[in-house]
Amino acid sequence: MEAKNNFDVLVVGGGPAGIMAAITSADFGLNVAILEKNKNLARKLLLTGGGRCNITNATFDNKKLAEKYGKEGFFLLPAFKCLDVKNTIDFFEQNGLKTKTEGSKVYCQTDRAGDVVSLLEKILKDKKISVFYNSNVGSIEKEGKEISKVILRDGKEITAQSYILATGGKSYTATGSTGQGYMFAESLGHKIKTPRPGLVPIKIREDWVKSLQGISTNSAQFNLLCDNKKKLVIKGEVIFTHFGLSGPAILNASSQIEDLSQKGKITINLDLFPDKDIKELEGDIIELFSKNANKNIKNCLSELLPEKLISVILDLSKTDSSKKVNAITKSERKNIVLQFKKSEMNFDGTLGFENAMITSGGVLPKEIEAKTMQSKIIKNLFFAGEIINLHGPTGGYNLQMCWSTGHLAGQSAPKTKTKL
């Protein structure tokens, strides 16, 4: 660090957004550096796609892509115009990393996230971008409406013409994510929406849910109530776990669930047959019973759902699982049908930032110029990636946001002379 401590562009954070920003700025022939607090770059990237690296989502219509990020998703349209999904795929392909598409998810062909990181490291080296590892930022100083310098915790000072904050959020704390970037942005005058875990599994109090560990369902519906008022319907793949519920449908709804939990008591009703009302389902059960009168009730109902799940339903309805179908009373049958349609569970929080895929919260988009990623408060400051209060569902959307905002920030930073 003693050899050089002044750069044209200084990127704080060596994740996907920061790396893309640095690469883009370097293409302008500038002296660019990355400050990374860890001893390796892009540690969180190694975890994406279950270690396979879900690079992006094959949504090639930018407007439809923006819609995936919620009501403020339109903010990302200029970034997607700057680097869209096709351009992102081309970037990796042209640099020697083959990709493949499974459904709408785009992965590296080798199924190894480490290959993506290695490629990015090679590009940084080829473009002579300085990367300073184990560089923990202590503060970012400003004079008026401009950043004057970055001071590391060991006392060293680094200066630049432009600064890009790409520090990520607080998710996967084991990778070194602490939410430190929010503190820096706030110290520079930005408002921060309180960070919360996003795309995170949820905990359920009931032991019967935990006893279903390993079972997944695509056909069931989970109706979420806040103080007994229906607020959210969750459909899609849900996985029962030893702590509660996970799977894409739960992860994508977790931020909404967390927000609702701040307003009242959350209960979730499991509907195993959402396409049928109680009357229709009871009619089907009566017909099933008439064809299997001499079977045990457990064996009879196992024609409909996994045996493990049937055992739970019978327990919840207080029905003896060894009882013959022809001995089941009308009251017992109605209780079974009710549990098929409305097995109640109580929300007991999320698994927290340690297990969250992303962070919900951060720098408000309204304080960032969408066409450049430039701060509306600090002239020579730009933002990229998860530090911004926007996120999409699982499936590569959040990495695409990192690539696109990083590219736009990296392209805009050399033009810092632009007035606010």
Side-chain angles (χ1 to χ4, degrees):
M1 195 74 74
E2 291 80 9
K4 186 171 180 59
N5 65 357
N6 180 263
F7 298 89
D8 295 314
V9 177
L10 182 65
V11 180
V12 183
I19 292 171
M20 182 61 79
I23 290 170
T24 306
S25 286
D27 284 339
F28 285 82
L30 303 177
N31 290 320
V32 180
I34 296 174
L35 295 180
E36 171 54 49
K37 68 187 297 185
N38 295 311
K39 62 180 180 180
N40 303 108
L41 290 172
R43 288 180 64 184
K44 197 184 297 182
L45 189 62
L46 295 171
L47 303 175
T48 63
R52 300 170 61 202
C53 193
N54 185 184
I55 294 169
T56 186
N57 188 284
T59 302
F60 297 100
D61 183 311
N62 285 345
K63 287 186 178 179
K64 289 181 179 178
L65 182 61
E67 289 171 1
K68 293 291 185 178
Y69 301 82
K71 61 183 180 181
E72 289 188 281
F74 65 88
F75 170 85
L76 295 171
L77 282 171
F80 292 150
K81 185 177 180 181
C82 181
L83 184 79
D84 61 19
V85 171
K86 183 182 182 303
N87 295 149
T88 301
I89 295 171
D90 288 346
F91 168 81
F92 286 102
E93 293 272 355
Q94 289 166 10
N95 280 287
L97 187 80
K98 297 296 182 184
T99 64
K100 61 180 178 180
T101 304
E102 296 178 8
S104 64
K105 298 177 181 179
V106 180
Y107 296 92
C108 58
Q109 204 170 76
T110 62
D111 284 332
R112 292 194 298 266
D115 291 344
V116 180
V117 175
S118 294
L119 175 70
L120 293 172
E121 289 175 333
K122 181 181 182 302
I123 297 172
L124 292 173
K125 185 177 180 180
D126 290 345
K127 293 183 180 295
K128 296 180 171 54
I129 295 168
S130 302
V131 181
F132 299 107
Y133 299 97
N134 300 309
S135 295
N136 209 331
V137 176
S139 65
I140 299 178
E141 304 297 315
K142 66 175 180 176
E143 291 180 4
K145 286 192 172 184
E146 289 193 356
I147 294 173
S148 57
K149 60 187 173 183
V150 169
I151 304 176
L152 302 185
R153 288 192 177 175
D154 63 8
K156 292 176 181 175
E157 299 182 359
I158 306 103
T159 60
Q161 294 299 308
S162 302
Y163 300 80
I164 300 174
L165 262 184
T167 51
K170 294 181 69 174
S171 58
Y172 285 139
T173 52
T175 65
S177 297
T178 61
Q180 193 179 29
Y182 303 133
M183 180 189 73
F184 297 144
E186 203 164 28
S187 73
L188 294 168
H190 280 275
K191 292 178 182 177
I192 304 297
K193 182 177 179 182
T194 303
R196 289 183 181 160
L199 300 183
V200 62
I202 66 174
K203 296 184 288 185
I204 299 295
R205 288 179 196 164
E206 284 73 15
D207 288 336
W208 67 262
V209 175
K210 301 165 189 176
S211 74
L212 294 172
Q213 179 181 352
I215 289 180
S216 64
T217 175
N218 283 300
S219 58
Q221 179 172 297
F222 294 77
N223 300 311
L224 187 141
L225 293 82
C226 180
D227 288 339
N228 295 316
K229 293 181 180 179
K230 191 172 178 179
K231 294 291 184 179
L232 185 64
V233 173
I234 302 170
K235 295 180 178 180
E237 185 182 358
V238 173
I239 302 169
F240 291 90
T241 70
H242 65 285
F243 51 78
L245 301 173
S246 189
I250 292 294
L251 297 177
N252 290 336
S254 60
S255 292
Q256 289 173 275
I257 298 172
E258 176 70 20
D259 287 343
L260 286 168
S261 73
Q262 307 302 309
K263 300 174 182 178
K265 181 186 176 183
I266 300 297
T267 53
I268 302 173
N269 291 335
L270 170 61
D271 185 348
L272 291 164
F273 295 94
D275 295 331
K276 297 178 184 294
D277 60 27
I278 286 183
K279 188 174 181 181
E280 284 180 289
L281 182 58
E282 187 170 16
D284 290 347
I285 296 298
I286 290 171
E287 186 178 344
L288 181 66
F289 280 8
S290 68
K291 294 177 181 178
N292 298 277
N294 295 314
K295 275 189 175 183
N296 286 348
I297 182 66
K298 182 178 180 180
N299 294 336
C300 173
L301 293 176
S302 292
E303 294 182 19
L304 302 177
L305 294 166
E307 186 176 322
K308 206 173 182 180
L309 191 48
I310 291 300
S311 294
V312 166
I313 294 297
L314 292 174
D315 284 345
L316 292 173
S317 64
K318 296 179 170 56
T319 304
D320 183 352
S321 62
S322 64
K323 204 170 184 180
K324 296 287 186 183
V325 169
N326 56 20
I328 296 294
T329 66
K330 181 179 180 181
S331 176
E332 287 175 324
R333 186 187 72 227
K334 286 186 175 297
N335 282 338
I336 291 169
V337 172
L338 183 62
Q339 291 303 326
F340 275 141
K341 292 291 293 179
K342 194 180 177 182
S343 291
E344 186 177 281
M345 57 189 84
N346 287 281
F347 173 71
D348 196 29
T350 72
L351 286 192
F353 284 112
E354 295 84 358
N355 296 278
M357 295 173 68
I358 55 96
T359 301
S360 173
V363 179
L364 304 180
K366 68 180 182 180
E367 296 184 350
I368 303 170
E369 175 52 60
K371 293 181 180 179
T372 59
M373 292 295 124
Q374 184 178 24
S375 164
K376 292 181 179 180
I377 296 169
I378 300 295
K379 180 178 178 181
N380 59 346
L381 172 63
F382 299 79
F383 293 99
E386 195 179 342
I387 192 173
I388 302 168
N389 179 35
L390 279 171
H391 69 83
T394 59
Y397 294 102
N398 294 294
L399 263 182
Q400 183 60 52
M401 174 183 159
C402 288
W403 306 130
S404 296
T405 57
H407 188 81
L408 181 53
Q411 177 178 288
S412 305
K415 307 167 187 175
T416 306
K417 299 300 180 185
T418 303
K419 292 183 180 179
L420 290 173

